[in-house]
Amino acid sequence: MTERTRKVRTYHEVADPDSEDIVGQIEAQRSKLVGRLADIDRLVVVASGKGGVGKSAITANLAALIAERGRRVGAIDGDLHGPSLAAMLGAERTPLVVSEHGVEPAVGAAGVKLMSMDLVLSDGAPLEWRQPEVAGFVYQSTLDTGAVRELLADVVWGELDFLLIDAPPGTDKLARLLELLPVIDTLLLVTTPSEAARRAVGRTVRQAHGTGISTIGLVANMTAHECPDCGRSEPMFEADGAARLATETGLELWAEVPFEPRFAVATDAGRPLVLEAPESPAARELGRLATKLANATSDTA
Amino acid sequence: MKFLCIDCDEVMTFAERELPGDGTLAAVFECPDCGREMAMLTNPMETKLVSGLGIQVGGRTVPDQPLELVRSSVTTGDEQAFADLPLTAGTVRWSEAAAERLQGVPGFVRGMVKKIYGEYAVERGIEEITPEIMDRARQDLGLEGM
Ligand SMILES: Nc1ncnc2c1ncn2[C@@H]1O[C@H](COP(=O)(O)OP(=O)(O)OP(=O)(O)O)[C@@H](O)[C@H]1O
Ligand SMILES: [Mg+2]
Ligand SMILES: [Zn+2]
């Protein structure tokens, strides 16, 4: 038998940096993102864990309202595969100017600065990545996370009082978004009174507690429906899931936004309800939510 | 990853990168002591995994461009999505053949590719970009899929 005694130094015994310097390059990406967000006073994430509860509609209306009140507001559509913020903020589709400083954001209702995949994808096309033919799905989340990082870091946001981020549904995607962000001033969790929402959002609350975000507000959406004939307010759901969720989690219910048909009609057409019908019950409640948000975040800042 | 020349017990250094254009990549490493060279060949999946992180093997050679990953990897982008401002660093000419080849690049990423080649040329004092310069820049800069 031949003797084999050669000993190769181990990875950690070799002090030289890695050939590809992955760590260095990732750190560079990170510091670019941190630098870009440094001029932003308050970072607010609007999430849920449940789909279709009104995250985007509430983000769009809050952004427009806060901007209307004279603050500098930006909004990011974190939902790459179901973007809706650009349409709800009525952003015009013109080529985005790219300079050496980055990509200039689009401008939506009330002057909100906006970035969304919707603005760069071919009209109506889904987001598709160039990826290997075999097992392309393996890369999907890496690419998605990279894209969200770029939406945050490569856009010329300038100085902002608020940057609102519309998070995609699902705790997995939310986790990746939260990981990317250096600080989060406020997390707004949107829910409805339904039992299904209570369960799904409950999971997100647990997830959020694990990340150490200090300020979390619950927003109950589509709580009541006002009868157009008699004006009586009827609950939309028999369950009181939102109130239960607040009790179970010890979180405060920051707003209860009623269901209003014209909320969807106006917002989905790019005219946020808070601008179109500021005196409507839902808009007034969103106004209270905006005030609450401004006060809450300044307390912790 | 580190490459160690066992005979010299020295870490090999990155020397050059080659992109055959089929999604694979060759990265050449060299021992600073004995000069021995070796090539690391990655398959398309490995290549993509690294580029998907926004990372270049051997370290970055071009400053990263705004929305670089999105622009170089999304296949369903709008041809008119971006308006790239011209180079600020200097001016270069594009030969007819090079300009024609550039037109073959999807509009979604064309402005960015043009800027990268332009900066490459300006940095090296190249006055006119030709298809040969484009090939060289692609190799030197590791521009996979652009
Ligand atoms: N209080 C409300 N009254 C009436 N319509 C509403 C209300 N809140 C939201 N909507 C409408 O409900 C629909 C779904 O809302 P939205 O798209 O904001 O949900 P989402 O949580 O962002 O969904 P997804 O999980 O798919 O991102 C939209 O048409 C929106 O305008
Ligand atoms: Mg949405
Ligand atoms: Zn050697």
Side-chain angles (χ1 to χ4, degrees):
Chain A
M1 273 225 327
T2 54
E3 210 180 323
R4 196 170 182 290
T5 53
R6 179 158 66 188
K7 178 165 183 315
V8 177
R9 277 195 289 162
T10 67
Y11 178 91
H12 289 292
E13 285 166 357
V14 176
D16 303 56
D18 286 19
S19 59
E20 70 280 32
D21 190 24
I22 289 196
V23 175
Q25 290 188 51
I26 291 198
E27 274 167 8
Q29 291 174 350
R30 176 103 190 142
S31 55
K32 186 176 175 193
L33 191 148
V34 169
R36 185 73 79 180
L37 301 183
D39 288 337
I40 294 168
D41 206 23
R42 292 161 201 189
L43 212 83
V44 179
V45 175
V46 182
S48 172
K50 182 96 179 79
V53 293
K55 295 178 290 297
S56 303
I58 285 178
T59 308
N61 277 279
L62 274 180
L65 186 59
I66 299 170
E68 182 75 2
R69 289 180 180 175
R71 315 306 295 273
R72 297 163 299 179
V73 182
I76 295 187
D77 194 340
D79 196 347
L80 306 175
H81 296 273
S84 48
L85 213 50
M88 288 180 174
L89 280 166
E92 212 183 306
R93 233 187 128 98
T94 52
L96 300 170
V97 173
V98 187
S99 74
E100 55 198 313
H101 306 294
V103 180
E104 292 293 335
V107 178
V112 172
K113 290 183 179 177
L114 173 79
M115 194 59 198
S116 169
M117 261 337 248
D118 194 21
L119 299 165
V120 304
L121 290 176
S122 215
D123 203 16
L127 167 59
E128 280 170 19
W129 292 105
R130 181 176 298 115
Q131 53 195 18
E133 271 162 39
V134 185
F137 62 88
V138 173
Y139 304 95
Q140 170 100 34
S141 78
T142 309
L143 292 164
D144 283 357
T145 308
V148 176
R149 171 178 54 75
E150 289 189 340
L151 296 188
L152 287 159
D154 290 352
V155 173
V156 188
W157 295 109
E159 287 185 13
L160 291 180
D161 297 309
F162 288 89
L163 180 62
L164 273 62
I165 306 176
D166 178 16
T171 48
D172 57 331
K173 290 180 193 140
L174 179 61
R176 277 181 251 128
L177 173 67
L178 298 182
E179 222 170 282
L180 275 174
L181 298 168
V183 283
I184 295 156
D185 295 289
T186 308
L187 177 65
L188 286 183
L189 289 179
V190 182
T191 188
T192 68
S194 80
E195 263 304 292
R198 182 187 64 81
R199 258 180 270 122
V201 183
R203 272 183 233 287
T204 311
V205 174
R206 277 183 57 178
Q207 178 190 14
H209 280 322
T211 62
I213 300 167
S214 56
T215 312
I216 306 176
L218 280 181
V219 178
N221 190 23
M222 310 189 195
T223 51
H225 175 46
E226 205 168 285
C227 170
D229 293 332
C230 69
R232 221 178 53 157
S233 192
E234 288 281 341
M236 278 284 284
F237 296 85
E238 273 193 21
D240 61 348
R244 265 185 70 193
L245 185 64
T247 317
E248 282 167 9
T249 58
L251 292 175
E252 201 186 324
L253 211 47
W254 281 16
E256 293 180 58
V257 184
F259 178 87
E260 251 180 75
R262 65 178 161 168
F263 185 133
V265 174
T267 303
D268 295 0
R271 304 181 313 267
L273 182 80
V274 289
L275 305 182
E276 173 124 323
E279 290 310 317
S280 66
R284 284 208 311 270
E285 185 67 2
L286 286 162
R288 283 189 283 272
L289 176 60
T291 305
K292 182 118 196 159
L293 180 66
N295 294 339
T297 39
S298 61
D299 287 348
T300 57
Chain B
M1 242 179 265
K2 298 171 183 178
F3 297 95
L4 196 66
C5 176
I6 296 178
D7 288 347
C8 311
D9 196 30
E10 273 295 327
V11 173
M12 303 176 96
T13 52
F14 174 74
E16 64 171 320
R17 187 168 30 215
E18 278 174 32
L19 298 166
D22 57 1
T24 70
L25 177 143
V28 179
F29 292 84
E30 191 179 9
C31 172
D33 269 14
C34 70
R36 174 180 296 158
E37 287 185 314
M38 59 154 287
M40 174 181 80
L41 310 177
T42 63
N43 67 35
M45 299 181 77
E46 293 158 342
T47 312
K48 191 73 208 173
L49 185 61
V50 173
S51 69
L53 289 168
I55 277 171
Q56 288 187 335
V57 173
R60 269 208 162 265
T61 33
V62 250
D64 57 347
Q65 303 291 322
L67 299 190
E68 178 180 293
L69 181 66
V70 166
R71 295 186 75 179
S72 60
S73 304
V74 168
T75 58
T76 45
D78 182 354
E79 287 277 304
Q80 257 101 54
F82 299 101
D84 291 85
L85 296 183
L87 270 190
T88 48
T91 49
V92 276
R93 275 195 316 278
W94 285 73
S95 80
E96 211 169 296
E100 198 175 307
R101 196 161 121 188
L102 187 66
Q103 279 308 309
V105 175
F108 188 63
V109 65
R110 192 184 304 134
M112 183 178 107
V113 169
K114 183 174 180 189
K115 184 159 160 278
I116 293 174
Y117 285 132
E119 278 171 359
Y120 175 90
V122 168
E123 261 170 36
R124 286 160 185 76
I126 297 165
E127 281 167 19
E128 186 181 63
I129 297 174
T130 61
E132 293 70 42
I133 299 283
M134 291 171 86
D135 285 335
R136 220 169 75 204
R138 232 182 110 251
Q139 302 278 347
D140 288 356
L141 303 177
L143 302 176
E144 183 52 54
M146 290 186 202

